[in-house]
Amino acid sequence: MRMQEEQLILHQEDVDLAGVKRVGLMGGTFDPVHQGHLVTAEAVRNGFQLDKVLFVPSGQPPHKREKLITPKEKRLLMTELATVTNPYFGVSAVELNRAGFSYSADTVSYFRQLMDVDSELFFITGADAILEILTWKKLDDLFAGCTLVAATRPGFQPKVMADWLEGHLKQEFLEKVITIEVPAMAISSTDIRDRVAMGRSIKYLVPEPVEQYIYKQGLYAE
Ligand code: NAP
């Protein structure tokens, strides 16, 4: 086994959810993780009284087959650097260690079996991603295991999303989708990658250690 793979697997063993009652999973590609993601996770933790929020970088997103994304060990390390100072935050490499495409339903099932039966699980991600939910696999398993929290960017019309979901999801699923507006989500990973490519500053858009890592590794330079 290559050293990189071995390290990712060792990382996964850190997750211990026994006795933890309210858990958030922050799902995203995190290419790179930014302040908007951190503010979102903290707002949901606070608003929903979560005991822990685990950031779960996507391994191989099924909808990004054609797109180039930064290698998983680099996205994992940036996520670690960004979250390390918040005692309520953690990182899981479960999707990075899983072969094949990353399906959120599999991730939710994985965490469910680590948790007590009376505990609650919240899967937090971008509203844009949730608007594509009909293309996601195993929706029954997903909704059986968690409540979805959709973080919207400023300017996003919550009613548009609510109407769309109402027209496309069963009532029992609809009750398990919550929308939260996060002003800091004006920051986006795409914009950060573009800024680096154009030589523009990303200071304060990402945590400083992440900024330094991006430059040191030469990420997004082209
Ligand atoms: P994406 O297409 O890269 O992002 C969609 C939008 O959501 C972007 O605007 C993105 O902003 C935002 N976003 C992504 N993660 C976020 C988060 N945790 N909090 C707030 N905003 C977020 O989507 P993605 O990151 O690849 O996927 C999001 C999650 O959905 C992942 O966990 C992924 O595995 C899951 N997903 C599952 C399936 C499936 O099960 N079949 C299919 C698609 C996605 P930024 O670019 O700034 O992050």
Side-chain angles (χ1 to χ4, degrees):
M1 185 185 295
R2 286 185 303 134
M3 179 60 109
Q4 251 171 17
E5 286 166 0
E6 196 171 33
Q7 282 167 347
L8 289 173
I9 289 163
L10 285 175
H11 173 99
Q12 187 184 337
E13 288 167 359
D14 292 344
V15 178
D16 178 8
L17 295 176
V20 185
K21 292 296 171 209
R22 294 174 70 79
V23 178
L25 299 179
M26 184 73 174
T29 308
F30 303 131
D31 192 16
V33 63
H34 55 65
Q35 300 290 18
H37 296 131
L38 298 169
V39 171
T40 300
E42 184 62 10
V44 177
R45 182 189 75 74
N46 221 21
F48 295 83
Q49 292 92 44
L50 304 187
D51 303 307
K52 194 153 195 70
V53 178
L54 287 172
F55 283 63
V56 186
S58 307
Q60 210 179 336
H63 59 307
K64 291 189 177 166
R65 294 173 201 203
E66 305 300 325
K67 289 191 191 171
L68 275 183
I69 54 174
T70 301
K72 57 188 179 181
E73 65 276 8
K74 293 186 175 165
R75 291 183 290 112
L76 174 68
L77 189 51
M78 288 192 280
T79 310
E80 289 274 17
L81 289 170
T83 54
V84 72
T85 54
N86 187 325
Y88 295 101
F89 288 177
V91 181
S92 167
V94 64
E95 289 197 1
L96 306 180
N97 285 318
R98 198 188 293 146
F101 294 116
S102 301
Y103 296 116
S104 303
D106 295 337
T107 304
V108 163
S109 302
Y110 168 79
F111 283 104
R112 268 278 157 218
Q113 42 95 24
L114 297 180
M115 294 166 64
D116 301 344
V117 278
D118 62 342
S119 56
E120 281 195 68
L121 188 59
F122 297 81
F123 188 89
I124 311 155
T125 194
D128 297 347
I130 289 183
L131 277 172
E132 310 224 320
I133 199 163
L134 292 183
T135 64
W136 293 21
K137 295 271 187 280
K138 303 182 224 177
L139 277 190
D140 287 298
D141 292 353
L142 182 76
F143 281 105
C146 72
T147 296
L148 281 181
V149 183
T152 69
R153 296 184 191 283
F156 187 94
Q157 302 291 325
K159 182 150 187 339
V160 173
M161 173 151 167
D163 289 347
W164 186 89
L165 291 175
E166 240 168 73
H168 292 86
L169 284 187
K170 300 189 228 178
Q171 186 59 33
E172 59 187 286
F173 291 171
L174 274 179
E175 287 162 12
K176 298 192 86 179
V177 183
I178 299 168
T179 304
I180 169 171
E181 190 180 339
V182 185
M185 277 305 297
I187 302 170
S188 83
S189 299
T190 306
D191 178 53
I192 289 165
R193 294 194 300 272
D194 290 347
R195 281 170 175 266
V196 176
M198 291 186 287
R200 291 170 60 203
S201 172
I202 56 167
K203 198 164 272 304
Y204 311 124
L205 299 177
V206 296
E208 200 171 334
V210 174
E211 180 191 357
Q212 287 169 6
Y213 182 81
I214 288 170
Y215 292 134
K216 191 170 175 190
Q217 293 288 320
L219 301 182
Y220 318 125
E222 289 169 11

